[in-house]
Each structure stands twice: as structure tokens, then as C-alpha cells.
Amino acid sequence: MTITPQISINNSNLVVHGKTILKNVPENIILTPGSGVGLATGAFIGATASHSKSFHVFPMGDNAVQVNERLYMVYMHAGTNPFEVINQAVKAVEKHMQSFRHREKKKMPSFLDWFGWCTWDAFYTDVTAEGVEDGLNGFASRLTGIKENTKFQKSGKDKDQAPGLQHVVTEAKEHHNVKFVYVWHALAGYWGGVKPAAAGMEHYDTALAYPVQSPGVLGNQPDIVMDSLGVHGLGLVHPKKVFNFYNELHGYLASCGVDGVKVDVQNIIETLGAGHGGRVSITRSYHQALEASISRNFADNGCIACMCHNTDGLYSAKTTAVVRASDDFYPNDPASHTIHISSVAYNTLFLGEIMQPDWDMFHSLHPAAEYHGAARAVGGCAIYVSDKPGHHNFNLLKKLVLPDGSVLRAKLPGRPTRDCLFVDPARDGTSLLKVWNVNKFSGMVCVFNCQGAGWCRITKKTRIHDVSPGTLSGSICADDVDLIGQVAGADWNGETVVYAHKSGELIRLPVGASLPVTLKVLDYELYHFCPLMEIAIGVSFAPVGLLDMFNSTGALEQFNIHKDLDKLPELPIGVVSSDTPILLGENKSLAATVVLEVRGCGLFGAYSSQPPLTCTVDSEETSFNYNSEIGLLTLTIPVTQVEMYRWLVEIQF
């Protein structure tokens, strides 16, 4: 079959062999005929842009082909003589033309692995560009066709990259407001390492290595995956060449706009030390190379460590900041959810001193979703879910994530309270788990009933050992927040206001007093301890925060008290009014103004022993409600279009 060079753009129409393929072709679309060197000739379609940027989308016009017809385009830009490549592509087309003649859609034949194609009523694939027509080297291009319109896309990064990943990252950031994109890979490359015999891998000195597990690991948790690797081997990059491996991998990812990596299966490396100086030596070599590459290629130390609790790995990681502190989240394993929470809390006692523990993903639409969500709030960790698209509990997610995509994050890693350090809240049948953390002006304690399941040494898996664990009772107090005194400041007398998230109760708690807690299994309550301040004689105040958020008090960014003269009506000297609690001589009254900076939106709450005179949000007076029985003052913080915005809230007494 021969394709003649009768391809042109006339009167804004792309015409092929006298048939109009596209109409309303924009003026910036350029057609360059092929040279006709081989059996067939074609044409290159390009585009010009008025400005430079890394990603361009060029509309090519409207589809003029009937729905039951298809236009096939084969193309590839490469080297300095793209026309010769076209001739090579057409030869491949001739070889496989029989499959093209069928009207029904088929899977792409194997030859399409190395050049692109497009059907106007289907989708296309990728091509790689090197030295494209407009002289901008290092561009990858692709053509998409979706029935009614067609676009030609160019991405300008690494010249050897396939544009698929970059396109996904660009789409996520530019059109879906995703700020950061991370990519998963294993410390050895993939679960089984890399393929030693693969072309292009020669310079890594890759060879098969066979894991050797310790007797302790084998006795505690034999694993079928490790058994398989022990037989078939793992493709291991030589420790002296592993920096080059990471640097090339991360350089490519960074060129696509990726911001960091989650590096999984880190504990495998310690089993591969034979012939490389032992487990300490090989682990140190891999971690040094990994962190050097991350430092070179990603800003902000973009790395999450995973499956990395082996001692050599933890001690070899010098700059990695985030470490997953748990086993996987198993949505379909009822035995896993209570032990997930308790194990992370206790692991954090160690990990929290050297890294930021990560509590792992969870599902927002799940029987234990609220249980997990509260744990993430008190854990001081990043919040992320692995929901199936379309299966979300947005009411739950809105307790964790603000409209601008940010979270109200506690300041420290969440740790067990002191009275939980030497008990077993998963298996002793009597103990509740209490996890504490702090915000800028308050403390928080989340109490969980984690009883009923744990690791079984006989079956070598997590299992339910008590199918009906009982309801448990305990107590909480301000001292459960280990650093509450530092948060409150030197002038604090020890009295607090406690806000309970689930029940919505607001309780004034005297110095040294405690509150009872009763929970059934897989239940929780999240308490915020807000130091009570005397802002004027007879007026006590404690801001709580956004009442509908898990981390309510995390919304407070600033808290100041100003005492002002001449703010209230004059009263005779010596006369005391319930509305004017403080009196000075010479007919002057003292009033207090509480000034807060609040991040987020929704129902804002505070404790006040007396109702305020006025409340303003960003200098605009706003209505408020005051419940005199419990001292709860509430007002509404509006939604803002500015990310990470701080509202200025003033409450005058």
C-alpha cells in the first residue's frame, strides 16, 4: 500500500486524499510534507506557541470524519531525520495492515510499542521526541483524539522520557489542585529488585542475590514472598552502583514533576549482605545512596520510608524524616483495626524520637473509618486515604481536611500516656489506650478501646482472640497531656476546660480533677484540654476551636488578651454590675478583648464564664450564641478562597 503526499491544510481544513479530516484548524498548526524516500510518504503536524512553558496543549480542529470511519496516524520524532523514521513506521503498518482494516476496535498490535497511533473515535498512545521541528530539544509529544476534538500535546522535560507520567502529574497539579505527587518504589527497585539481564542495566552491575533470613524472623513470621525470593533470587544493584541507579530514577521522576518518593520494602536489604560486607555495610550503602539522591533531585527532603523497622535501616537513615510506623491497613480483616492503632502508638515511643511516624492510609467509607480518622488526628501525621473512586465518606473527611486541602495537624507524634506505658490495651481485657498530643495552645487525648485482637504466635498472623470484648471504663485528666504546662504558660493555675468531640460536651475541670471514660470495643472519644485563663476579674476564657473537626484546637494559630480602658459604660465607683465585672477609680471600667487567629471554617467554639459584648471576624461584626449553662460561646467562621488563610477573630468583654 502506498500513501501519496496529498495531505494539506486548505481553508482551515486538513485534507487527506481529497477528504476533509479536520475542520476549523487553528492558524498555529503547521503541516510539513514528508520527503517520499520510501514506499510511502506522509506529513508532520506541528504547532507554534507564543510563549515558552513545559507543557503545551494545541487544539488541532474539529473532527470531520464519520463515526464509523477511522483515520490512522503513525508518527515518531527521533534524531535529526524524522522522515526516515516515518518510512520505517509505514513499513510496519504495511506488515500489519490487515489488522487495521477491521472496523471493530482491537488491541494495539506489538509494533505499536515503538511508535504512536491514533484513531479519531478511540484513544492514542505515546511517542518520544528528540529534536522536534521547532528546535526545542527534549520534548515529548502525543496526540489525543476524542470524537469531537483533537489535541496535540508537547511536554518539555527529559528527552528520553515517555510523556505519560508527566502528563498525569501535570493534569493532577494544573487541573485538580494537587500540590504534591509522590511515586512508590522499593528500596531494591521493585519487590523482586531489578531484571539483571535487561538492556541498559549493565552499568549497575546487577546480579541475582538470595535473601538469608534470621532465625528470629523465621520463627516469628515466615513469609511466602521471602521464601520465593530465597529460591528465585532478587535482582540486586551492586551497592557501589546503587547511587547511580537512584539518581537516574529520581532524576527522571523529578523531570516529570514528581515531588518525592515512598520507598517501600526497605527491610529486604539486610537479608542480602552476603558478599557485600554483611547486613550493616549493605544497608548503610543503600541508605546513603538513597538519601543523597533524594537530596539532589527533590526539594523538601521528599521521602516516606516504609517497611523499614529493621534496626540497621533506622540507624542508617540520617535525613529521612517520615517513616511508616504500622503494618498495612487491611480493610477486610476485622482483626487488624484495633491492633493497628495500638501498635503505631507504641512504635511511636521509639520512632517519634528520630522521625515523624506515619499512621498509613485508611478507607473513609468503612465500619472503622471514624476510629482510624480520630487516630490520625491525634497522631500528628499526614492524612491520606486509599478510597475506591466514588466510595467516600465526605462527612468524615471534612473532619480531617479543610476546604483548601490542608489539615489541622498536631505538633508532635502521638504517644501513649504515662499510665499506658506498661499495660497491654489490645489483650489484657482491662485497659483503655490513651494517646496524647499538643497544639499551640492546648492538649488533646484520644481514648480507644483496642481490646480483642493481636498477633498470634501459633498461627503467625493477627487474629481475634476475644469475639466479644467487654465495655471498659477509665479516666482522663489534664496531666495525661505530658506537656500541658509548657503549652499553657507560667501564669496558668491548672484549671482546664475539656471539650469531647463525639459527645459535644464542654466541661470545666478543676485542678487535679479527672473525667470518667467508658467505651465499647472499636470505639473512641477525643478530648481537648484547653487551659482556662482569667482575662479579667470574674471573667474566665478558654478558646476551643472548630468544633466539627477532629483536631478542634489545632485551628488556633494565635491567642492574645488585651485589657483596654474606656470600653464599657461608666458606673459609679463601688457599684458592681454582672455585665461590668471590673471597675477602676475615676469612673473608668476595664474591659478585655480576646484576639485570635483561626485557620479553617465552620462552627467556632470557646468557653466563657460571661457572655461577650461583641464578636468580629476580620473586623466585621458577627452574630454569636452563648449557652450560659455550660459557658459555650459559638460563632461561624466563613469559608475563604485563600489557602492557609488566618481569620482574625476579636471577642470583646
Side-chain angles (χ1 to χ4, degrees):
M1 175 182 175
T2 302
I3 302 175
T4 62
Q6 295 179 1
I7 305 174
S8 63
I9 296 178
N10 296 319
N11 298 323
S12 299
N13 294 328
L14 175 62
V15 181
V16 179
H17 289 244
K19 184 176 182 61
T20 299
I21 303 301
L22 294 177
K23 56 186 179 181
N24 300 321
V25 177
E27 294 183 355
N28 66 324
I29 298 299
I30 301 172
L31 190 72
T32 304
S35 62
V37 175
L39 295 175
T41 58
F44 285 92
I45 297 178
T48 60
S50 59
H51 58 283
S52 299
K53 63 177 183 177
S54 62
F55 184 79
H56 288 282
V57 178
F58 299 105
M60 294 178 60
D62 301 326
N63 184 17
V65 180
Q66 297 295 323
V67 174
N68 62 349
E69 296 183 9
R70 296 183 186 181
L71 171 68
Y72 296 95
M73 306 182 76
V74 290
Y75 58 96
M76 185 173 183
H77 296 298
T80 58
N81 186 6
F83 305 108
E84 178 59 30
V85 177
I86 284 289
N87 292 322
Q88 297 174 9
V90 171
K91 291 179 181 179
V93 171
E94 290 179 323
K95 180 178 179 181
H96 297 272
M97 186 53 65
Q98 186 62 40
S99 65
F100 276 122
R101 288 176 179 155
H102 294 288
R103 292 287 183 181
E104 66 273 17
K105 295 179 182 179
K106 285 182 173 293
K107 293 182 179 179
M108 290 184 294
S110 60
F111 70 95
L112 292 171
D113 291 341
W114 63 271
F115 70 93
W117 79 312
C118 173
T119 72
W120 250 234
D121 62 339
F123 205 64
Y124 92 111
T125 186
D126 304 331
V127 294
T128 302
E130 178 179 273
V132 295
E133 293 174 351
D134 53 13
L136 299 176
N137 290 328
F139 269 76
S141 62
R142 75 184 224 167
L143 184 68
T144 62
I146 307 177
K147 290 197 175 182
E148 296 302 325
N149 57 72
T150 302
K151 296 178 180 179
F152 175 68
Q153 302 176 348
K154 286 185 179 180
S155 304
K157 291 291 183 180
D158 189 284
K159 67 182 181 179
D160 293 323
Q161 73 185 41
L165 176 60
Q166 185 182 13
H167 175 69
V168 170
V169 173
T170 302
E171 285 286 314
K173 291 185 175 182
E174 294 188 359
H175 301 292
H176 299 285
N177 199 30
V178 175
K179 295 180 178 63
F180 303 100
V181 175
Y182 275 46
V183 168
W184 178 99
H185 72 80
L187 189 62
Y190 197 63
W191 294 100
V194 299
K195 186 176 181 179
M201 299 291 292
E202 298 84 1
H203 60 297
Y204 297 139
D205 287 351
T206 305
L208 285 177
Y210 297 87
V212 178
Q213 300 180 75
S214 69
V217 170
L218 288 171
N220 183 65
Q221 187 181 7
D223 185 87
I224 189 172
V225 174
M226 292 296 295
D227 293 342
S228 176
L229 291 175
V231 174
H232 300 289
L234 178 146
L236 184 70
V237 175
H238 195 283
K240 293 184 178 180
K241 302 296 181 68
V242 72
F243 171 76
N244 295 333
F245 173 70
Y246 290 142
N247 189 45
E248 292 179 23
L249 171 61
H250 296 158
Y252 162 71
L253 295 176
S255 75
C256 294
V258 172
D259 302 285
V261 287
K262 180 175 182 177
V263 185
D264 206 345
V265 206
Q266 296 197 14
N267 55 355
I268 190 68
I269 295 300
E270 73 166 1
T271 70
L272 303 169
H276 299 291
R279 59 182 176 85
V280 174
S281 177
I282 191 173
T283 302
R284 182 180 296 130
S285 295
Y286 262 72
H287 276 278
Q288 288 176 348
L290 176 70
E291 294 184 335
S293 175
I294 289 170
S295 176
R296 171 179 291 192
N297 292 289
F298 301 119
D300 302 323
N301 194 20
C303 179
I304 301 173
C306 187
M307 288 180 64
C308 57
H309 291 184
N310 54 309
T311 307
D312 299 312
L314 291 172
Y315 288 163
S316 296
K318 303 299 184 182
T319 61
T320 299
V322 181
V323 54
R324 204 181 83 181
S326 72
D327 196 355
D328 292 346
F329 169 76
Y330 298 103
N332 299 322
D333 184 0
S336 69
H337 302 293
T338 53
I339 195 66
H340 184 115
I341 303 304
S342 60
S343 63
V344 176
Y346 287 98
N347 285 343
T348 298
L349 285 170
F350 172 56
L351 296 175
E353 299 301 317
I354 57 177
M355 294 176 176
Q356 173 63 55
D358 170 23
W359 289 58
D360 200 23
M361 64 193 76
F362 70 102
H363 288 179
S364 69
L365 195 62
H366 188 276
E370 197 165 337
Y371 190 77
H372 280 281
R376 273 55 172 186
V378 76
C381 56
I383 309 296
Y384 53 111
V385 296
S386 53
D387 289 346
K388 180 181 178 180
H391 290 72
H392 316 284
N393 183 346
F394 287 108
N395 291 331
L396 173 64
L397 293 174
K398 288 177 180 177
K399 293 183 179 184
L400 291 165
V401 184
L402 298 174
D404 65 358
S406 63
V407 300
L408 302 178
R409 190 165 174 176
K411 298 304 176 185
L412 300 172
R415 299 174 173 90
T417 57
R418 289 176 180 265
D419 58 348
C420 288
L421 293 182
F422 298 103
V423 300
D424 186 351
R427 287 175 290 196
D428 66 10
T430 60
S431 302
L432 293 170
L433 171 65
K434 299 189 291 184
V435 181
W436 69 273
N437 212 320
V438 295
N439 292 303
K440 283 188 175 182
F441 305 103
S442 64
M444 57 195 303
V445 176
C446 198
V447 187
F448 303 90
N449 186 333
C450 296
Q451 295 290 340
W455 182 258
C456 178
R457 296 183 179 181
I458 298 174
T459 61
K460 311 297 184 185
K461 65 179 183 179
T462 300
R463 61 179 292 268
I464 295 175
H465 57 263
D466 187 349
V467 295
S468 57
T471 297
L472 299 180
S473 295
S475 63
I476 58 165
C477 62
D479 287 341
D480 286 331
V481 181
D482 207 49
L483 301 178
I484 188 69
Q486 295 183 25
V487 171
D491 297 332
W492 179 51
N493 67 2
E495 193 172 7
T496 59
V497 171
V498 182
Y499 173 67
H501 171 78
K502 282 191 71 176
S503 68
E505 294 180 299
L506 187 70
I507 303 166
R508 184 165 175 170
L509 198 64
V511 179
S514 61
L515 285 176
V517 182
T518 299
L519 298 173
K520 60 183 179 180
V521 70
L522 273 176
D523 198 7
Y524 78 96
E525 181 60 277
L526 180 54
Y527 298 92
H528 293 272
F529 288 84
C530 308
L532 193 63
M533 299 296 178
E534 188 176 32
I535 62 175
I537 297 176
V539 181
S540 298
F541 184 87
V544 176
L546 297 177
L547 302 184
D548 295 330
M549 303 295 291
F550 276 124
N551 189 9
S552 303
T553 54
L556 293 170
E557 297 284 343
Q558 291 294 332
F559 173 29
N560 296 297
I561 302 169
H562 301 298
K563 297 179 179 180
D564 304 314
L565 295 177
D566 300 321
K567 289 292 186 181
L568 297 177
E570 294 184 2
L571 290 176
I573 296 176
V575 177
V576 177
S577 166
S578 60
D579 294 327
T580 310
I582 305 167
L583 296 173
L584 298 179
E586 304 298 330
N587 294 328
K588 287 189 176 181
S589 300
L590 179 66
T593 300
V594 174
V595 181
L596 306 166
E597 285 187 12
V598 180
R599 187 162 65 87
C601 60
L603 188 64
F604 177 85
Y607 172 84
S608 177
S609 62
Q610 293 193 19
L613 292 177
T614 61
C615 296
T616 63
V617 177
D618 275 6
S619 301
E620 295 288 334
E621 188 168 342
T622 186
S623 60
F624 62 87
N625 293 310
Y626 181 72
N627 185 332
S628 59
E629 293 184 1
I630 59 175
L632 177 61
L633 168 68
T634 58
L635 55 91
T636 300
I637 305 293
V639 178
T640 178
Q641 300 300 316
V642 181
E643 295 180 0
M644 302 291 289
Y645 187 76
R646 272 73 169 169
W647 296 95
L648 183 65
V649 178
E650 296 188 5
I651 304 172
Q652 293 186 342
F653 294 89

